[in-house]
Amino acid sequence: MRLLLLGGDGQVGHELRRSLAALGEVVTTTRSGRLADDGAECEALDLAQADAIEPLLRRVRPDHVVNATAYTAVDRAESERELAFAVNAQAPARLAQLCAADGIGLIHYSTDYVFDGSGTRPYLETDPTGPISAYGESKLAGEEAIRASGAEYLILRTAWVYATRGHNFLRTMLRLGGEREELRVVADQHGSPTPAWLLADAAAQVLRQGLKQSGVRHLVAGGQTSWHGFAEAIFEEAQARGLIARRPRVEAIGTADYPTPARRPAYSVLDSGRLRAEYGLDVPHWRQALSATLDRPAG
């Protein structure tokens, strides 16, 4: 199998380089054309330049493309709407059109931000969307373009992604927990913290079995919590492993106490049952996944 991985330097892309390696040859892209961890050369691709996608596909000629890159600056997207749509909607549209024309399978990651967050039970793939931010709108536009392309595809919607590298809530909490005695964390937004390795391992399992049916599927760790609950769990697990000397106090605050340019869904819990059943995936509870993440070797 010849695979093209777009975005090999991101937190999910880094894990995909590991999980996809067992399936065959993996050709990786980054914006710079070099991998950040070791400086090795790779293919260069900036999805803000959609015209660069076709020459890359012609040169690599993959069997499948895994798109792990996106514009993810949620707050900045409110003022950089054009760029967010270029990367999250126009580029995936072009990518999917080219995949459809050449019979290339496509796996693409999307987000809970396509929902408005007013739900009260885990969202199903069939639930109506209604993004409340520019970022969410751009990701939904990308989904719709892929659906309309005629390509063989799988869109994996996920939420609250974290890893021990990159910019994410886990790393922010570990840094602040070592610097401060007290933190204020939002307690009225709910979701399922999901490690990058789970998303990568699932994509590899899907490709190993073959895409069974084109469509959107949800994939998050099991259970749910708030950002406040996630922070408390991070500090408990980190202290037990000697990653921090002491646990800071974590004060629960409301979303209104922490204003941001972009609105966030208050409820981001997704139902992963359909994907789990189709591919026999073992999806851990979010607490188990957090422990496993902190126990994984670096690199």
Side-chain angles (χ1 to χ4, degrees), residues 24-75:
E25 182 183 3
V26 181
V27 178
T28 300
T29 76
T30 65
R31 287 179 63 188
S32 67
R34 286 191 178 275
L35 296 171
D37 49 6
D38 60 9
E41 290 188 3
C42 63
E43 293 283 351
L45 180 66
D46 182 350
L47 283 188
Q49 310 297 327
D51 290 344
I53 298 173
E54 184 172 6
L56 175 66
L57 287 179
R58 295 285 178 263
R59 186 165 64 253
V60 176
R61 297 193 175 280
D63 300 303
H64 298 276
V65 176
V66 181
N67 182 22
T69 189
Y71 181 104
T72 57
V74 174
D75 288 321

Side-chain angles (χ1 to χ4, degrees), residues 248-265:
R249 294 186 300 276
V250 185
E251 179 187 352
I253 63 172
T255 298
D257 298 317
Y258 188 74
T260 56
R263 294 174 61 197
R264 266 77 171 164

Side-chain angles (χ1 to χ4, degrees), residues 24 88 159 185 289:
N88 292 344
V185 180

Side-chain angles (χ1 to χ4, degrees), residues 114-128:
V114 301
F115 296 111
D116 65 9
S118 63
T120 56
R121 50 101 178 130
Y123 282 104
L124 301 171
E125 293 86 350
T126 52
D127 285 329

Side-chain angles (χ1 to χ4, degrees), residues 145-232:
I146 292 171
R147 280 197 203 96
S149 70
E152 181 186 27
Y153 73 91
L154 181 66
I155 295 171
L156 294 175
R157 283 189 192 139
T158 190
W160 291 31
V161 180
Y162 68 92
T164 54
R165 57 181 285 127
H167 301 287
N168 57 71
F169 188 80
L170 170 65
R171 282 173 55 84
T172 298
M173 288 300 103
L174 289 175
R175 175 176 57 81
L176 294 178
E179 298 172 353
R180 304 180 186 178
E181 293 185 357
E182 182 171 327
L183 299 173
R184 303 170 75 239
V185 180
V186 170
D188 59 356
Q189 295 175 23
H190 293 84
S192 305
T194 302
W197 57 261
L198 175 60
L199 301 176
D201 289 353
Q205 189 161 335
V206 167
L207 289 171
R208 192 175 289 112
Q209 296 180 34
L211 292 177
K212 298 182 186 296
Q213 181 182 10
S214 290
V216 176
R217 299 291 185 270
H218 291 170
L219 178 58
V220 292
Q224 59 182 279
T225 188
S226 66
W227 289 115
H228 178 270
F230 188 24
E232 291 275 39

